[in-house]
Amino acid sequence: ASTAFATTYDVHDTRHPIGFGVRTGAWTGPYQAPLVGGHIKVRAAKWIGFNGFWDNAGMVKGNQVRHDHVIGFNGYFPRLLGNRRAYLSPTLGSCVDFRITTPLDDRVPGSNDVLFGVHGGLAGEIALWHRLTFEASAEVFAYLGNQTGVDDWTASSSNTYRASAVGQLVAGINYAL
């Protein structure tokens, strides 16, 4: 039975190297917020894959909504620790964060900035059913961009770049095409 199980369910069936999925999780850094998004996975070879993602995090604080929209990619290496059914892998990639503060009051200014970042962490995936998998990851992001802020009637943006860090815990479901 275990042999049939292992051959029936495969994290990355080579006949289906492209997949997509939905994800949810937590964003922590300048603020803590829930996160939702999606991703497209491409298994280039048995030993390497790429994950293109888009995530959205946001929260309401006072009279403003702070939201971040991240688009990026990472590489992962499923054969380092794992088998056809499951793996645990380091990840490494880059991304862009569209960081926006939207006022809830029309008389208050908003702010926005585009930050560039790199990230790395640990990801795991397990086959659930034919072409369906569960994935989870923990990653740290380092961003470089302007420091923006909104305080009552004033919006500000620094003219120098500053670094900021964000942590993400994400879980999702994937389906291979």
Side-chain angles (χ1 to χ4, degrees), residues 13-165:
D13 185 337
T14 55
R15 297 168 297 170
H16 306 282
I18 298 173
F20 67 94
V22 295
R23 48 199 260 159
T24 187
W27 165 285
T28 185
Y31 65 98
Q32 288 73 42
L35 174 136
V36 296
H39 56 263
I40 297 172
K41 296 180 74 99
V42 177
R43 181 72 175 268
K46 287 183 178 183
W47 58 275
I48 190 168
F50 297 97
N51 187 20
F53 63 89
W54 56 98
D55 290 331
N56 305 283
M59 66 164 284
V60 176
K61 183 176 181 184
N63 63 349
Q64 61 190 7
V65 178
R66 165 71 185 271
H67 42 110
D68 287 75
H69 308 280
V70 180
I71 300 170
F73 81 95
N74 61 32
Y76 60 97
F77 310 94
R79 290 295 189 224
L80 288 179
L81 181 60
N83 55 35
R84 292 180 59 194
R85 178 130 178 9
Y87 70 82
L88 189 62
S89 169
T91 63
L92 183 63
S94 66
C95 54
V96 175
D97 178 4
F98 299 92
R99 190 168 283 179
I100 302 166
T101 303
T102 304
L104 296 174
D105 183 343
D106 290 341
R107 300 173 293 162
V108 177
S111 68
N112 56 63
D113 193 15
V114 178
L115 292 84
F116 299 94
V118 295
H119 57 94
L122 194 61
E125 190 172 5
I126 186 166
L128 299 175
W129 197 257
H130 180 66
R131 295 166 44 174
L132 187 67
T133 65
F134 171 79
E135 175 180 311
S137 66
E139 293 186 290
V140 175
F141 292 69
Y143 289 108
L144 186 62
N146 293 312
Q147 183 70 33
T148 60
V150 176
D151 186 27
D152 290 331
W153 302 98
T154 306
S156 63
S157 179
S158 68
N159 58 0
T160 58
Y161 291 122
R162 295 191 183 171
S164 63

